[in-house]
Amino acid sequence: MTQEKKILVVDDEPKIVDIITMYLKKDGFLVRTAYNGRDALKVFREWKPSLIILDLMMPEMTGEQTCEAIRKESNVPIIMLTAKSDENERIKGLSIGADDYLVKPFSPRELVVRVRTVLRRFQPNELLADILSFNDGELEIDATRHEVKIKGKVVDLTPNEFKLLLVLAKNPHRTFNRTELLEKVQGYNFEGYDRTIDAHIKNLRKKIEEDQKNPKYVKTVYGMGYKFDGN
């Protein structure tokens, strides 16, 4: 898998960029770098990376602004790097479209593992599901093409949002608590920050529900977690 995967590393600290690049190349990834958000967008558009590692705190154009700009054009997986350990900052990063985050200082080996994990979640052939159709075709989930349609119109979901929807839809009417969903979507222990699921659910509802306050598909089970309803 790693032989053909292209990783864009974006950080304003050259030393960190060099270390990350060294570890990624050692693991077989193709790597390009940028030291600010504007250059990152240019490389992203020209090179079309498989995944982006993006620093949150950068001059001129912040990581958040860069992430939001990328999300308007693509659902490419994004791992956010941040020096902020505050939970609310992590939640904010995930809510604007990041698929994972890592707090500085971090282990380069752990970052490589996270890159592999996020890319693995993005592989359609690992989702092992047929096309799921609900409410007479109003909602369609195609795991092979990694595509979701509402009333025939394609909806752009991030890898995490897609996997979350697929997990819920493959188990209709079953209630999942937040920890269970984290394990199924993230693939590893998220150190207790189960509120990240709330951020993903909120974004998912914006994209697939007509009425977010009274959702038809992804419903809250108060005091428990979430479940999927659909015929």
Side-chain angles (χ1 to χ4, degrees), residues 51 60 124 154 205:
L51 181 143
E60 296 182 29
V154 175
R205 283 175 172 164

Side-chain angles (χ1 to χ4, degrees), residues 180-226:
E180 288 176 321
L181 289 174
L182 274 175
E183 291 174 353
K184 290 182 178 295
V185 173
Q186 300 293 157
Y188 48 80
N189 190 339
F190 224 62
E191 300 179 358
Y193 290 98
D194 55 7
R195 283 180 53 205
T196 58
I197 285 295
D198 296 340
H200 290 316
I201 290 288
K202 182 179 179 181
N203 288 339
L204 181 59
R205 283 175 172 164
K206 286 180 181 178
K207 298 176 181 180
I208 71 168
E209 301 283 6
E210 289 184 346
D211 185 352
Q212 297 173 46
K213 294 183 178 180
N214 297 286
K216 179 188 297 185
Y217 295 109
V218 181
K219 296 189 175 182
T220 301
V221 182
Y222 293 99
M224 296 289 292
Y226 298 98

Side-chain angles (χ1 to χ4, degrees), residues 133-148:
S133 180
F134 299 93
N135 293 1
D136 296 322
E138 180 180 270
L139 170 64
E140 289 189 354
I141 306 170
D142 187 337
T144 302
R145 300 179 64 183
H146 208 274
E147 186 176 83
V148 173

Side-chain angles (χ1 to χ4, degrees), residues 152-189:
K153 184 178 180 181
V154 175
V155 179
D156 291 326
L157 301 182
T158 68
N160 274 348
E161 291 164 1
F162 181 85
K163 187 67 180 290
L164 178 60
L165 177 60
L166 186 61
V167 168
L168 290 167
K170 287 174 66 177
N171 299 274
H173 313 301
R174 174 186 167 182
T175 299
F176 289 90
N177 63 41
R178 290 169 176 81
T179 301
E180 288 176 321
L181 289 174
L182 274 175
E183 291 174 353
K184 290 182 178 295
V185 173
Q186 300 293 157
Y188 48 80
N189 190 339

Side-chain angles (χ1 to χ4, degrees), residues 1-11 17 20-34 40 43-44 47-54 76-79 81 111-120 122-123:
M1 179 190 71
T2 58
Q3 294 292 328
E4 301 176 353
K5 296 301 180 181
K6 303 186 294 185
I7 312 298
L8 171 58
V9 179
V10 188
D11 198 302
V17 171
I20 294 174
T21 299
M22 179 181 68
Y23 273 83
L24 288 172
K25 286 185 174 180
K26 184 178 179 180
D27 208 60
F29 292 100
L30 302 174
V31 182
R32 286 196 181 178
T33 61
V43 176
F44 156 70
W47 196 47
K48 301 188 184 306
S50 308
L51 181 143
I52 299 173
I53 297 171
L54 180 64
V76 60
I78 296 174
I79 297 178
L81 303 180
L111 177 58
V112 172
V113 170
R114 297 217 180 191
V115 167
R116 283 199 206 129
T117 301
V118 172
L119 286 172
R120 197 160 53 239
F122 196 60
Q123 296 302 309

